[in-house]
Amino acid sequence: MVTWFAWAGYVLGYASLVAGALALDDRVRAKAVAEALARYEAGKPDPADAVPDDDLRLGIPRIAVLVQGDGGTHSAFWTVIIDMVARGILKPGTTHDGKPTLQRSAGRRRGPSPDASDTEQKIWSLAYNENPVAVAPHSVTHPIAQSLYQEGYLRGRGVFVDFKAPRPVWSWMVAALSLPLAALVVFLFLHWRYALMAGWTALAMVVVAWVLTMPDDYKPAALLLPVLTERGEQAVRQARARHAHLDPAKRTEPYGPDEAAAAYAVFGLDAYNHFAAHTPGFSAAVDEGTAERLRNEAAEERQRTRGNFIG
């Protein structure tokens, strides 16, 4: 019984040694992270709006990407769709078999202007023979995000503050002590009755030592930078201040042709619902187009899976 108590005390002592080393290294890392954040904050540009009316220069679709906040272009696509419907370029209608759709308005004067964006021109072309909502938004509006990256409004996903993790000195010290301590436990419990116990304990200590010395690409979540740069955040602040009067929570009347896109870009789903409630047929056309896109994507996935299986 005394031997078992001695063995338990030995194991608990070693575990405490490992836990203490990890805690000390964590404190060193936390200090290094705080210092890295302080250096980054000290080098950030002035948060004040340094470029007046930058949001106007960017345009509503690109503002929609920035407000979305993750670099995706989903909201930019819907901003253009809503703008085209609000201005009468597209209108809710039905296909020859009675399905709701968005289609071109009759008359050439309803078409995009000569200086219309590439996104608007592409959606107008799609509407010639299909519901433009049925296409993947990213395939149409990806260039918008690309331009924002190039101009410094987006930094991308998975970007961290420059940081070099300090060497885990205490963990390495315990790892170095583990080998002689493993040999000591085998020596102390050398009796044949305890040989198996001692052997497994020593093996576990060797494994712990190996784990403590494994390289660790440490990137703490606290150092993960937002997708928007300071310049992108500035443009979002400007847009929200400029279009605050379009908040659907404070509005009962329909959005005007020059308001709907900006309202959706800044206020998202709530503004979409407000616009759809005052635009008969729009919601049904969007739902049908979205369902068609999902069916097409599912069919393509089944085809790829079948091709991979046969191949």
Side-chain angles (χ1 to χ4, degrees):
M1 183 62 70
V2 174
T3 303
W4 286 106
F5 274 116
W7 171 80
Y10 194 92
V11 171
L12 289 174
Y14 178 73
S16 299
L17 193 65
V18 172
L22 292 174
L24 289 171
D25 283 333
D26 283 343
R27 289 181 61 181
V28 173
R29 280 180 172 178
K31 182 179 179 181
V33 169
E35 291 173 350
L37 280 173
R39 288 194 300 270
Y40 172 75
E41 292 294 332
K44 282 175 63 174
D46 188 343
D49 294 344
V51 183
D53 299 331
D54 203 20
D55 62 317
L56 291 179
R57 186 191 67 81
L58 285 173
I60 294 301
R62 296 210 285 177
I63 286 296
V65 173
L66 297 179
V67 172
Q68 188 172 341
D70 60 1
T73 58
H74 178 88
S75 61
F77 176 81
W78 291 109
T79 297
V80 177
I81 290 284
I82 288 173
D83 182 55
M84 294 177 74
V85 173
R87 291 189 289 119
I89 298 173
L90 296 177
K91 67 175 183 178
T94 56
T95 61
H96 64 278
D97 56 355
K99 292 182 179 179
T101 188
L102 292 180
Q103 57 193 19
R104 295 181 177 186
S105 296
R108 294 184 61 185
R109 66 184 181 84
R110 292 291 189 179
S113 62
D115 61 345
S117 67
D118 292 342
T119 302
E120 187 172 331
Q121 293 283 3
K122 187 167 186 178
I123 290 175
W124 173 250
S125 299
L126 289 168
Y128 180 75
N129 56 8
E130 65 176 311
N131 187 347
V133 179
V135 304
H138 181 75
S139 66
V140 178
T141 50
H142 176 67
I144 294 177
Q146 287 293 99
S147 67
L148 289 170
Y149 281 110
Q150 293 167 0
E151 295 179 28
Y153 293 92
L154 298 173
R155 63 167 53 92
R157 300 181 179 92
V159 179
F160 289 80
V161 173
D162 289 337
F163 174 74
K164 184 177 181 181
R167 179 174 294 182
V169 176
W170 295 101
S171 296
W172 277 80
M173 288 178 60
V174 171
L177 288 172
S178 295
L179 296 181
L181 289 174
L184 179 61
V185 76
V186 172
F187 175 77
L188 291 176
F189 301 97
L190 196 58
H191 191 280
W192 66 270
R193 292 178 60 186
Y194 312 110
L196 185 61
M197 173 193 70
W200 280 110
T201 302
L203 180 60
M205 294 171 69
V206 171
V207 171
V208 170
W210 175 69
V211 171
L212 289 174
T213 57
M214 288 182 66
D216 182 14
D217 185 16
Y218 183 67
K219 289 185 176 180
L223 298 180
L224 179 63
L225 292 172
V227 176
L228 269 64
T229 63
E230 288 73 23
R231 189 177 181 187
E233 291 174 351
Q234 166 198 287
V236 170
R237 288 194 300 271
Q238 290 177 340
R240 284 180 171 154
R242 190 180 306 279
H243 302 293
H245 64 288
L246 300 178
D247 186 350
K250 304 174 182 178
R251 190 178 180 108
T252 56
E253 68 274 15
Y255 290 125
D258 297 327
E259 296 177 328
Y264 176 76
V266 175
F267 295 102
L269 183 60
D270 290 339
Y272 170 89
N273 291 334
H274 185 83
F275 175 77
H278 292 86
T279 310
F282 177 71
S283 182
V286 169
D287 291 344
E288 178 61 32
T290 302
E292 181 181 348
R293 173 170 57 84
L294 294 176
R295 288 194 297 269
N296 292 339
E297 290 175 353
E300 291 174 2
E301 181 61 28
R302 287 195 299 271
Q303 187 65 30
R304 280 196 298 269
T305 303
R306 182 173 179 273
N308 293 337
F309 176 76
I310 294 174

